[in-house]
Amino acid sequence: MSGPNTSFDPVEVTPLRADQVEEMREQAFAAIAGATDLAELKQVRLDHAGDRSPLALANREIGALPPQARKEAGQRVGQARGAVQEALVARQAELEAQHEERMLVEEAVDVTLPTTRRRAGSRHPLTTLSEDIADVFIALGWEVAEGPVVEAEWLNFDALNLGPDHPARTMQDTLWTEPADHHVVLRTHTSPVQARTMLTRKPPIHVVCPGRVYRTDPYDATHSPMFHQVEGLVVDEGITMAHLKGTLDHFAAAMFGDGITTRFRPSYFPFTEPSAEVDLICWICRGVNSEECRTCRGEGWVEWGGCGVVNPRVLIACGVDAERFTGFAFGMGIDRTLMMRYAVADLRDLFEGDVRFSSAFGTEL
Amino acid sequence: MRAAVSWIRAVVPGLPADVTTAQLADRLTALGLKLEAIERPGHDITGPLVVGRVLSFEDEPQKNGKTIRWCSVDVGAANGTGEPQGIVCGAHNFAVGDLVPVILPGGVLPGNFEIAARKTYGHVSAGMICSARELGLGDDHAGIIVLPPDAGAPGDDVFDVLPLRDEVIEFEINPDRAYALSLRGVGREAALAYGVPFTDPADRPAPSSPSAAYPVEVEDPVGCPVFTGRSVTGFDPSAPTPDWMARRIQLSGMRPISLAVDVTNYVMLELGQPIHGFDRDKLAGPIVVRRAREGERLRTLDGVDRNLSVEDLLITDDSGPIGLAGVMGGETTELCETTTNIFIEAAHWDPVAIFRTERRHKLPSEASKRFERGTDPTIPLIAADRVAELLTTYGGGTVEDGVTSVGAAPARTAILIDAELPARVTGMDIPAATTVDNLRAVGCSVVEDGSSLSVTPPPWRGDITDPFDLVEEVARIVGYANVPSVLPPAAHGRGLTRSQRLRRRIGRTLAGEGYVEIVSFPFIGTKDLDALGLEDSDPRRTVLRLANALSSEEPSMTTTLLPGLLKAASRNAGRGASDLALFETATVTLPRATGPAPIFGVDQRPSDAQLDELDKALPAQPLHLGLVVAGERERPGWWGEGRAATWADAVEAVRRVAESVGVEVTVRAAARAPWHPGRCAEVMVGDAVLGHAGELHPRVCTAYGVPGRTAAAELDLSRLLEHAAAMVEAPGFSNFPLAKEDVALVVDASVSVADVEAALREGAGEYLESIRLFDVYTGPQVGEGKKSLAFALRFRAPDRTLTEEEAGAARDVAVRLAAERLGAVQR
Ligand SMILES: [Zn+2]
């Protein structure tokens, strides 16, 4: 086979001499096989297939041969040159493949090296959960309504059937702004957005209102002066408590999984009548062997929020024809929903701004 | 409201015996009396706890001054031997032959107190004779309990004799169910829950008499529609409260005090009507019910001197105020250990007046809790009479014939409803007959006229005023559990608004840029603004103050998101994370000089103009974006060095945000707190300034305890979003070759890149496709106070290949303009 290439010493080849042509071809093959890299092969190509190679020169002489000899000689030299060319191409491909293989091996890296030059960012789970909740209702064809956090007393209370001396005003201790006789509060619930919606839109109304609310609650593991609620409101002809139940069952399943439904308990809110508190089937134990369950503490149910049929007095204050339309409304704590869904032990984690908290939730829930 | 199950059963004898407390509580919860907790007093005591008869004892004085009794007690066969039991006892309130409760060794008292025979005072005491407190029956531990002579035989179980064990349901009563703050109300609901008959304990004949029990004049019949009273004379103030009554009061969460006080509390618990007893001998002249006068004072039972408001309803006599009506009595006429003549007052008060007085004086009481929610105006006299009866039964004396009764319960107006309304509102199948039955079951009187019902609510249901209130009554009895689950007919919304979508996109963009979102409280104080280094005249110092702030340190609503972000950054740094990128989007509160927000009526919609006036009275509340970036923006590693966050990261973040919503912003140098005066960019859209970005002032970093060179930005998102292009036009683009021209210009160091770029852009003409600064050089080659800016200009024509000459000419015009305008010299 191939041995190391020695420097090539061209000899003259007579095209009429088959043995010489054959000899040249064999020499070329040997040189090609002996080329160990692409540079050597380049030299071999010049020596054996270049313009000044013996076979090329022999080829040139063919024209000067007598016509009867020309054909045979031409065939002989042509075949030899063709074979050499083929061998060169084959060897070229072989050497290129070898080269590439070696290069790829040499370029190998440790892919376990760290690659993160910049930490990932994240959104706050209250933001993303609010969006998720909104999306559940958007998918039902509802819209997202918004309103100011610093709100007029009339909208936060009076319009919602909470008169100036309503005992319920003490139920939600209010942060008032100065001067106190300006009748401006930090909204204590998202319900003023309900009122604003009814004041500005004509039924049918289907809105969901996630937002921030404030109360004079202490700041501890389960209370905060600032928290988040989502309010839902539907006003249309023929709306009933059954529609409320259907909507909340749908919402509960979207938030906590298939099969999680709600239970109503009679309750009292000035802005709804009848009113109910909403419990969820405990999504951890699903009411089976609840005694052991830490989420519902043996109840099989978990408190979720409040709801009811919109009190006609509220419809009237907001300019909705209470004879023709009925409505339902509900309100849930987003913080509470978040804490329940993700087993957040301390409410303060939501508001301390520790990057480890938000980061755990990523950009979408 | 706490109600002992034994008492509920006494009020509703028809309750099935096999109903457990948990079942009863569940049913009542389903009716609207929400279970808060079930307590089981006495269930932590285990026997043997038996009746013992004291056979003999010896009093033995001890060195410590005490005298103990060494008793021999017959406990029957309970001790297994039938022999008398030797027990040491510290009390002396019993005699030989008395029956006493004895707990024997092996028994356990509340608090997991295990009883064993033990050596004490030189004897082996085999058990204990128990006091009320030791058995969890009250506070009394002055002496042991002496059982009635007929309590049983020695060795009998004591549990049922006392009775020691009970169950108490604690309810959370909603404001509309004031009637359930009584056994009368809880019993009514319990009877309703099981469909058994209910005998109203208030269903007694009201006494009447031509003479008054005590002269009373009501000057304010609005505040006090009904005032009644009875008098008892010759009462024995030393008479004890019967055990059963003390026990019920105790289980209801109140403290037994004395027979006279206990009876008034007992009847309040029983009927829901608060009652006040006056020591009649301390009254001076007739009682007058009126509002307080300017400057009047009253010392209430709790010993507090109170300044009265002219709105406060008072009970007065010739001496002046003697009681804060419906809230708390006065000290001077209080029942005491010498009271023998009692005037019993039971009245109906205006809930609003009581509510205001209670709040004004911060004086919630068992009485005010009931009055402010509304009591039954028809039963004051019945309740007073019941008190008189109990007082004389257990404390002797006589009920005088006179009856004080001023005013009358206001008549209730009937509510008209369609019998189908409950079905229509709830979506449940509720036949008209069910509606009628259920309304009657809650005490309404119903007159049927076809499908129209005329419904008069019972006097104890002041909360029922509207047709929908009646719907709730019907629905809760039918049961909320029967409400079907049906999605409403499809809505036809248009999805999120553009602004809502863009806001989501901004958050995602920043998260993608490595920023972590936080949520912080909007409360700030002067200290926070001082730490930002704001000038006295800075408009951000004009804050909306809270009238009842939670913290005096942070009494106001913030005008900037930076304090919250910087505090969070500092907190993170303190917890070991000082390489930070944080952002927050929230509204800030910018007060404007306005009048008060109007209070409208509620019987019709306010006009658009009125609503406009309301909105104008509120502070401006624009949505802001704030961000801070500190420490390493990129980490060092095997790839090379890290990169510290700089002013440029803050500006870049703002640019990314603007870009994400399709708004082009420009920046220019600005000096504004809390930024470094030389490293602050004003962010603009057109001529409008929307915010600032850059490195913070070093003093601000120190003041907030954040890493040096922390950068920050704050932007008015509301206004940025106003500029967001509603529609983007698809670009047409040329595929002809690009012509590249690079230029290096030397300018004074003070000239801004933005100005140079603007000049080049303007001069380069219509074929300029892009311009980019790719190098800035300062040093000896350009001279002191100068800098060299290298720009890459890219030209392309829409319709042909630009020649080198054309591109070169455009570049030359651009350079010339920069030279003219800014003194730029091409290198
Ligand atoms: Zn559970």
Side-chain angles (χ1 to χ4, degrees), chain A residues 114 117 122 124 141 143 146 150 154 165 174 176 178 182 196 199 249 275 313 352-354 358 364, chain B residues 34 356 466 472 485 493-494 503 508 517 545 547-548 571-572 575 597 600 605 615 621 635 638:
Chain A
R117 298 187 192 201
S122 58
H124 198 282
E143 292 182 342
E146 294 165 299
V150 182
W154 187 80
D165 291 302
T174 308
W176 295 83
E178 281 186 353
H182 270 203
R196 285 181 172 275
L199 285 163
D249 282 343
S275 302
R313 287 172 184 252
E352 297 276 284
D354 192 309
S358 285
E364 298 289 338
Chain B
K34 191 194 164 198
R356 290 186 181 169
D466 292 5
E472 181 172 271
S485 182
R494 294 183 179 179
R503 270 181 271 153
R508 291 194 188 113
E517 186 179 21
R545 282 182 65 98
N548 54 337
R571 197 172 296 128
N572 277 290
R575 293 173 183 179
F600 307 121
R605 178 188 188 275
D615 275 332
Q621 297 170 64
R635 297 162 170 163
W638 57 269

Side-chain angles (χ1 to χ4, degrees), chain A residues 31-103:
Chain A
I32 289 166
T36 58
D37 62 24
L38 290 164
E40 278 179 24
L41 189 65
K42 193 175 172 189
Q43 188 57 48
V44 170
R45 174 174 300 154
L46 280 174
D47 292 347
H48 294 278
D51 289 350
R52 309 208 58 79
S53 65
L55 284 173
L57 294 172
N59 194 46
R60 252 185 247 166
E61 283 171 26
I62 289 168
L65 292 177
Q68 65 274 28
R70 219 184 272 166
K71 186 180 172 204
E72 193 196 337
Q75 227 168 30
R76 184 182 299 129
V77 174
Q79 278 173 357
R81 290 182 79 201
V84 168
Q85 199 57 43
E86 251 175 52
L88 275 169
V89 169
R91 186 62 181 156
Q92 174 83 20
E94 211 173 281
L95 288 175
E96 275 177 5
Q98 277 173 16
H99 172 76
E100 187 185 60
E101 196 177 335
R102 196 166 53 241
M103 189 183 73

Side-chain angles (χ1 to χ4, degrees), chain A residues 113-124 127 131 134-135 138 140-144 146 148-155 158-159 165-167 170-171 174-178 181-184 186 196 199 206 212 214-217 219 224-226 228 239-243 245-247 249-250 264-268 273-277 303 309 311-313 316-319 328 350-356 358-359 363-364, chain B residues 29-32 34 174-176 352 355-356 359 372 424-427 465-466 468-469 471-472 476 480 483-489 491-496 500 503-504 507-508 511-523 544-550 557 568 571-572 575 579-580 582-586 589 594-606 611 614-615 617-619 621 632-635 638-639:
Chain A
L113 282 169
T115 57
T116 308
R117 298 187 192 201
R118 203 170 73 189
R119 288 166 186 81
S122 58
R123 294 196 297 158
H124 198 282
T127 306
E131 290 178 5
D135 287 344
I138 292 279
L140 290 175
W142 300 25
E143 292 182 342
V144 176
E146 294 165 299
V149 163
V150 182
E151 183 59 284
E153 180 183 359
W154 187 80
L155 280 166
D158 303 62
D165 291 302
H166 206 291
T170 56
M171 283 162 64
T174 308
L175 283 164
W176 295 83
T177 69
E178 281 186 353
D181 60 2
H182 270 203
H183 307 299
V184 173
L186 303 195
R196 285 181 172 275
L199 285 163
H206 301 80
R212 246 168 230 196
Y214 297 88
R215 294 198 193 159
T216 58
D217 283 344
Y219 185 42
S224 165
M226 177 178 92
H228 298 73
I239 291 297
T240 71
M241 263 181 112
H243 295 134
K245 180 81 161 67
T247 302
D249 282 343
H250 181 80
F264 285 178
R265 276 184 288 111
S267 189
Y268 171 74
E273 188 77 38
S275 302
E277 285 192 59
E303 285 184 36
V309 174
N311 193 316
R313 287 172 184 252
I316 290 164
C318 296
F328 68 71
L350 274 60
F351 306 119
E352 297 276 284
D354 192 309
V355 290
R356 292 169 294 183
S358 285
S359 297
T363 307
E364 298 289 338
Chain B
T29 296
L31 276 177
K34 191 194 164 198
N174 286 314
D176 61 335
V352 171
F355 173 69
R356 290 186 181 169
R359 288 233 297 189
E372 74 176 20
R424 215 156 60 225
V425 171
T426 63
T465 56
D466 292 5
F468 276 49
D469 298 333
V471 170
E472 181 172 271
R476 71 187 180 97
Y480 281 14
V483 175
S485 182
V486 181
L487 275 173
H492 306 282
R494 294 183 179 179
L496 295 175
Q500 286 163 348
R503 270 181 271 153
R504 290 186 176 191
R508 291 194 188 113
E513 291 291 307
Y515 286 79
V516 175
E517 186 179 21
I518 66 160
V519 171
S520 61
F521 290 169
F523 310 122
L544 182 72
R545 282 182 65 98
L546 296 172
N548 54 337
L550 294 156
M557 297 297 285
R571 197 172 296 128
N572 277 290
R575 293 173 183 179
D579 301 328
L580 284 167
L582 304 178
F583 79 101
E584 177 167 26
T585 57
T589 307
T594 61
I599 299 284
F600 307 121
V602 290
D603 30 16
Q604 63 174 46
R605 178 188 188 275
L611 290 171
L614 180 148
D615 275 332
L618 298 177
Q621 297 170 64
E632 275 166 2
R633 183 75 172 117
E634 285 177 17
R635 297 162 170 163
W638 57 269
W639 50 74

Side-chain angles (χ1 to χ4, degrees), chain B residues 337-649:
Chain B
E337 58 273 21
T338 57
T339 304
T340 55
N341 299 324
I342 302 173
F343 175 60
I344 304 152
E345 169 242 302
H348 183 67
W349 304 102
D350 171 30
V352 171
I354 303 302
F355 173 69
R356 290 186 181 169
T357 293
E358 182 226 50
R359 288 233 297 189
R360 190 176 303 119
H361 296 287
K362 298 191 174 61
L363 198 54
S365 66
E366 290 289 336
S368 67
K369 183 166 88 181
R370 288 171 174 80
F371 283 129
E372 74 176 20
R373 287 169 169 80
T375 49
D376 181 344
T378 62
I379 65 162
L381 183 55
I382 287 162
D385 196 49
R386 170 86 168 131
V387 169
E389 175 193 79
L390 288 169
L391 283 179
T392 49
T393 302
Y394 295 100
T398 51
V399 182
E400 289 193 347
D401 286 341
V403 171
T404 294
S405 180
V406 181
R412 295 300 298 266
T413 41
I415 303 164
L416 292 179
I417 71 163
D418 190 307
E420 299 294 329
L421 187 67
R424 215 156 60 225
V425 171
T426 63
M428 289 191 277
D429 181 20
I430 304 175
T434 305
T435 295
V436 172
D437 288 350
N438 290 354
L439 289 175
R440 287 190 174 134
V442 298
C444 296
S445 69
V446 182
V447 178
E448 293 177 74
D449 179 10
S451 74
S452 173
L453 308 179
S454 172
V455 185
T456 308
W460 61 86
R461 293 300 304 271
D463 61 296
I464 299 180
T465 56
D466 292 5
F468 276 49
D469 298 333
L470 297 173
V471 170
E472 181 172 271
E473 292 306 306
V474 173
R476 71 187 180 97
I477 299 172
V478 173
Y480 281 14
N482 297 313
V483 175
S485 182
V486 181
L487 275 173
H492 306 282
R494 294 183 179 179
L496 295 175
T497 64
R498 180 169 165 76
S499 159
Q500 286 163 348
R501 271 186 292 127
L502 293 181
R503 270 181 271 153
R504 290 186 176 191
R505 199 185 295 164
I506 286 168
R508 291 194 188 113
T509 298
L510 283 169
E513 291 291 307
Y515 286 79
V516 175
E517 186 179 21
I518 66 160
V519 171
S520 61
F521 290 169
F523 310 122
I524 53 156
T526 312
K527 214 176 68 184
D528 300 301
L529 300 170
D530 291 345
L532 291 180
L534 303 189
E535 300 274 341
D536 289 348
S537 60
D538 192 301
R540 285 169 290 177
R541 283 198 182 269
T542 307
V543 292
L544 182 72
R545 282 182 65 98
L546 296 172
N548 54 337
L550 294 156
S551 152
S552 56
E553 300 275 287
E554 299 174 336
S556 304
M557 297 297 285
T558 195
T559 51
T560 157
L561 298 182
L562 295 176
L565 281 160
L566 291 171
K567 286 182 206 173
S570 164
R571 197 172 296 128
N572 277 290
R575 293 173 183 179
S578 48
D579 301 328
L580 284 167
L582 304 178
F583 79 101
E584 177 167 26
T585 57
T587 54
V588 296
T589 307
L590 309 178
R592 35 190 181 196
T594 61
I599 299 284
F600 307 121
V602 290
D603 30 16
Q604 63 174 46
R605 178 188 188 275
S607 70
D608 286 346
Q610 285 176 313
L611 290 171
D612 202 41
E613 185 198 346
L614 180 148
D615 275 332
K616 287 209 176 95
L618 298 177
Q621 297 170 64
L623 184 69
H624 273 206
L625 164 69
L627 58 90
V628 298
V629 51
E632 275 166 2
R633 183 75 172 117
E634 285 177 17
R635 297 162 170 163
W638 57 269
W639 50 74
E641 303 222 324
R643 189 175 69 71
T646 69
W647 64 271
D649 290 291

